[in-house]
Amino acid sequence: MMKLHAIGMNYRHSGDFEIIRPNGSGDNLLLIFKTAAQADLNGESVRIMPDSALLYSLDSPQIYRACGSLYVNHWVHMDCCEADDFHLETGLPFNKPVKLTNTAEAEDIMRMMGREELSDMRSKKRYMDLLIRMLLLKLGDGCRCGGSAGAVNPHRAALTGLRAEIYNSAGQFASVDEIAAKVNLSPSYFQRLYKELFGVSCYEDMLSARIKAAGYYLKNTSMSVKEIAAACGYENDVCFMRRFRLRTGMTPTEYREKN
């Protein structure tokens, strides 16, 4: 089982900050750098870019320092079971910095870990084990998807969050323009970024999310077609029924009867 020892987020230090632990910290240390840094790894001094992660193996030297006038990082001290085959599945290497494309998503998991650390729930240890595994998987995915620093979409976190909102609450957005405004982007630029990132247009995702939500309501509730249309963001049930039939080949009533 993976165990959390300590966690910290957005720790800020001046430009003379340095950590020197020749024998490590006695556990695994995960660092997520929010500013540039320098680390001594395998006898070499390595420059680390912002939004990079570094996972130290047990007892490996931990020597890193600021590389500028300000140093900010997140850190997690933990036992991450190096002999566990699970770590191989994550694709996250030990003692090697990796550039991330999903820092914001990893930060969400770390906030959950911080809250869980303070809880007194009976299953706290099991929750923490699962959250650490989730964090390592997320970081592994982030470094595999990443390329050079310049290739990282600076709007990735915001757009990923918006896409989740679209699918989690299908009726809350009336138009693509409204969604673009949430991230202060012009509709045309927003739509181009969205398609590049997800391979599908935002409008298509809006329609898919609405039909998916409608299918759930039809199968699992006694809501009327008119109520479902409103819940899914349609101004009237006629438009909803037309869209639903185009997507599924059935009317809402036929879909409900079949399912």
Side-chain angles (χ1 to χ4, degrees):
M1 181 174 287
M2 301 196 182
K3 300 177 182 178
L4 177 71
H5 298 161
I7 186 170
M9 295 188 70
N10 292 311
Y11 271 60
R12 303 171 68 89
H13 302 277
S14 61
D16 58 358
F17 174 78
E18 185 175 31
I19 290 291
I20 301 177
R21 301 187 186 110
N23 300 312
S25 54
D27 56 10
N28 297 107
L29 171 63
L30 169 68
L31 299 172
I32 296 180
F33 299 91
K34 299 299 293 180
T35 56
Q38 204 85 18
D40 293 350
L41 298 167
N42 301 315
E44 296 183 6
S45 182
V46 178
R47 183 178 175 84
I48 301 175
M49 300 299 293
D51 288 317
S52 295
L54 173 59
L55 177 61
Y56 284 105
S57 59
L58 187 65
D59 297 330
S60 62
Q62 299 171 4
I63 303 173
Y64 56 95
R65 63 191 66 85
C67 186
S69 59
L70 177 68
Y71 174 86
V72 184
N73 75 348
H74 311 321
W75 48 265
V76 183
H77 283 276
M78 60 188 175
D79 290 333
C80 70
C81 305
E82 295 181 26
D84 193 332
D85 288 341
F86 168 80
H87 182 266
L88 298 177
E89 297 173 18
T90 69
L92 185 65
F94 282 113
N95 308 314
K96 178 181 178 181
V98 292
K99 182 69 176 165
L100 301 174
T101 62
N102 59 354
T103 305
E105 297 167 40
E107 289 170 339
D108 287 341
I109 300 172
M110 291 183 68
R111 292 186 189 96
M112 294 172 63
M113 292 168 62
R115 290 193 295 270
E116 192 57 42
E117 184 186 25
L118 299 175
S119 77
D120 57 359
M121 298 295 289
R122 177 177 57 85
S123 301
K124 174 179 176 177
K125 291 182 179 179
R126 183 57 178 153
Y127 293 154
M128 194 61 73
D129 171 63
L130 293 172
L131 285 170
I132 292 174
R133 290 173 185 271
M134 186 176 175
L135 176 63
L136 295 177
L137 280 170
K138 182 65 68 175
L139 293 173
D141 283 346
C143 72
R144 282 195 296 272
C145 292
S148 64
V152 177
N153 187 330
H155 301 287
R156 180 187 178 91
L159 297 187
T160 300
L162 276 178
R163 194 181 197 206
E165 284 189 54
I166 290 170
Y167 276 93
N168 291 338
S169 184
Q172 73 166 305
F173 296 117
S175 68
V176 173
D177 288 7
E178 180 184 340
I179 300 174
K182 287 202 68 172
V183 286
N184 298 315
L185 296 174
S186 70
S188 58
Y189 183 51
F190 168 77
Q191 291 183 80
R192 180 166 65 81
L193 289 177
Y194 196 99
K195 182 73 176 286
E196 287 177 354
L197 188 57
F198 303 119
V200 64
S201 71
C202 183
Y203 181 71
E204 177 65 24
D205 262 348
M206 284 179 62
L207 293 180
S208 296
R210 288 178 175 186
I211 299 304
K212 181 180 179 181
Y216 173 84
Y217 290 135
L218 289 166
K219 287 194 295 183
N220 297 285
T221 77
S222 59
M223 293 169 64
S224 69
V225 171
K226 189 170 185 177
E227 289 172 330
I228 293 173
C232 293
Y234 289 95
E235 293 184 1
N236 61 73
D237 52 343
V238 175
C239 178
F240 162 64
M241 287 188 288
R242 184 167 60 249
R243 288 287 185 188
F244 191 88
R245 187 167 189 172
L246 283 172
R247 289 272 168 160
T248 66
M250 293 178 278
T251 67
T253 300
E254 290 170 342
Y255 184 91
R256 173 170 269 168
E257 291 174 350
K258 182 176 180 179
N259 289 279

